Amino acid sequence: MTKTLLAGALTALLATAPTTAADLQVGDPAPNFTLQASDGHTYTLSDFAGKRAVVLAWFPKAFTRGCTIECKSMAEKGDLIKKFDAAYFMISVDPVEQSKAFGDEHKADFPLLADPTKKTAEAYGVLRDFGGDIGVVANRWTFYIGKDGRIAAIDKAVKPATAAEDVAAKLAELKVAAK
């Protein structure tokens, strides 16, 4: 199969992914998205199809304690993740301006994706109502998406302090190619 045909097939697979995903499982097609990021770029999941694995590290809210710890881990130890042929992002339902300020403050050298409409968060089944001042935000879950556009693993027990080490370990376990 040619690369163009393969990429087209994977793009079609991503486009037909479930739109409600409270029950997304390993092996399911990952819901496609197009989101703005803290680095000024717009990212579309299907653009990675056939090329690279993708890590989506969902977090509840910028500038909160656990999210700050997680972002610092990913920024300070991101070199562990960069050894793998994978694109990685932190992602929340915060507006892009807030994602940018949060990433800048913690010297994140990777993009933070913004999903203020919550459509992508809904598709991934990560939304949770914390009530009060926090409201509806994403659970702290990490999705690992293979080059084939399918979910390779889901971590629903993310430890903010060791997030980077844990992502690198999971990429190794999933046998994602080294750079």
Side-chain angles (χ1 to χ4, degrees), residues 127-132 134-137:
L127 289 177
R128 178 176 172 194
D129 188 351
F130 281 86
I134 295 177
V136 177
V137 296

Side-chain angles (χ1 to χ4, degrees), residues 65-77 80 140 157-167:
R65 185 178 183 279
C67 299
T68 296
I69 292 168
E70 183 177 6
C71 188
K72 283 182 176 182
S73 171
M74 300 285 274
E76 293 171 2
K77 298 196 176 172
L80 299 172
R140 188 183 318 282
V158 175
K159 296 178 215 120
T162 59
E165 295 98 319
D166 298 340
V167 167

